[in-house]
Amino acid sequence: MLGAIGLDERQETAYRALVALGAAELADLAARLGLPEEDTERALRRLEQQGLAAQSSARQSRWVAAPPGVAIGALLMQQRHELDQAELAAALLAAEYRAEESEPTVHDLVEVVTGASAVAQRFHQLQLGATAEVCALVTGKPIAVTGTENASEELAASRGVSYRAVIEREVLSLPNGIVEVSSALGREEQVRVVDRVPTKLVIADSSLAMVPLTGRGAEPAALVVHASGLLESLRGLFEAVWRDAMPLRIGENGWPKEDDNGPDPTDLEILSLLLAGLTDASVAKQLDLGLRTVQRRVKGLMELTGVSTRLQLGWHAYERGWVARNPRT
């Protein structure tokens, strides 16, 4: 909780213990924390630097906690001042950048980023800098950042940035594929699926895009494309793939209200994954169901709609609003 003011877990624990006691001998505090005295003293020295603790003038081995309201308040004020200065600097740099960008050269419209760590950092920056929408084409073979490592997506979504993603069918077969997609849908992101996407791609606010530059086996590299005709083409590519992709819903995200005489959420999960192109066996594995259970439920859906083929079932699913390109409310 106090990491925001520069304390690690051990230092925070030491400060909390000292606050609870008011003052304590080094040996007693070390015993209370279950730490060697050397480690405890190191933590106390850090607290002393932050103005959160001080040695007693009477005994050097005795430490006293500074009042949290005063000490932490002062640190927060200092951090707010530093953030204000950083924000001002960012605004000035942005103004300089816009001035230089008024007539960009061709070379300034594209950046080449090389190396896994550099590609990953630029990928995170692109999402964290978005203010409105992030669009992505996702393959089952990440170059530098896997789905579980993409914490920037969750942070951006929590700020109100909307996400639209088209994923390859292969993504659903990955060990964490369904979990990652379910998490995205839980954040109210829109996800569609196709057999294959033409390339990996991420676009932020229609002003910045990132595409891979290297093939499999080579050192990771990517192109960062700024506002230009090339960026407009990439945006057009995404929209074309998005229009032709199959909407994907998992769990209760985006499903119509349950009808007593209609399919339940599990039926709809099965139907969505089947329409996305997964086999019965793959659906059973992803949803942790038995193969016969999946087949029995599909048969039940066919009987419910009065059809004899799965193709007809898919058509009826759209007609009844069980699956739709734009979820019905």
Side-chain angles (χ1 to χ4, degrees), residues 54-90:
Q55 284 183 292
S56 171
S57 57
R59 290 201 304 272
Q60 291 295 304
S61 62
R62 187 171 179 81
W63 288 80
V64 181
V70 176
I72 296 178
L75 289 172
L76 291 174
M77 286 291 292
Q78 179 182 348
Q79 284 207 345
R80 290 193 184 103
H81 174 71
E82 291 173 354
L83 287 172
D84 288 341
Q85 294 300 308
E87 186 175 7
L88 177 60

Side-chain angles (χ1 to χ4, degrees), residues 249 252 254-259 263 268 320-323 328-329:
R249 301 187 226 168
E252 298 182 5
W255 292 117
K257 292 183 178 180
E258 187 174 348
D259 185 345
L268 294 173
R320 296 177 183 226
W322 296 345
V323 289
R328 298 181 183 181
T329 55

Side-chain angles (χ1 to χ4, degrees), residues 12-25 29 44 47-48 51-56 62-72:
E12 178 175 347
T13 302
Y15 181 60
R16 287 179 177 276
L18 198 58
V19 167
L21 296 170
E25 296 289 335
L29 186 61
L44 289 170
L47 295 177
E48 185 178 36
L52 297 172
Q55 284 183 292
S56 171
R62 187 171 179 81
W63 288 80
V64 181
V70 176
I72 296 178

Side-chain angles (χ1 to χ4, degrees), residues 131-199:
T131 59
E133 182 184 53
V134 173
C135 300
L137 300 180
V138 183
T139 72
K141 299 179 179 64
I143 293 178
V145 181
T146 65
T148 54
E149 295 171 340
N150 189 15
S152 302
E153 180 177 345
E154 185 173 353
L155 289 172
S158 69
R159 291 189 289 105
V161 176
S162 63
Y163 271 76
R164 288 191 292 152
V166 181
I167 64 174
E168 285 188 343
R169 186 169 293 114
E170 181 184 359
V171 173
L172 298 173
S173 301
L174 298 177
N176 294 318
I178 292 294
V179 174
E180 293 170 8
V181 172
S182 296
S183 297
L185 292 172
R187 294 189 293 267
E188 298 185 355
E189 299 179 19
Q190 298 182 63
V191 181
R192 294 186 178 183
V193 62
V194 293
D195 186 36
R196 293 184 65 83
V197 297
T199 181

Side-chain angles (χ1 to χ4, degrees), residues 111 113 117-126 208 210 224 226:
E111 303 173 41
V113 183
S117 61
V119 170
Q121 182 181 26
R122 201 71 174 92
F123 177 68
H124 290 306
Q125 287 176 344
L126 188 144
L208 203 62
M210 191 171 184
V224 178
H226 295 255

Side-chain angles (χ1 to χ4, degrees), residues 193-245:
V193 62
V194 293
D195 186 36
R196 293 184 65 83
V197 297
T199 181
K200 298 175 190 289
L201 172 66
V202 59
I203 304 174
D205 294 340
S206 298
S207 62
L208 203 62
M210 191 171 184
V211 292
L213 186 60
T214 52
R216 204 181 317 174
E219 181 182 21
L223 289 179
V224 178
V225 182
H226 295 255
S228 60
L230 176 57
L231 179 58
E232 291 176 8
S233 297
L234 292 173
R235 178 60 188 241
L237 172 65
F238 171 82
E239 295 296 348
V241 176
W242 174 262
R243 282 193 301 270
D244 294 337

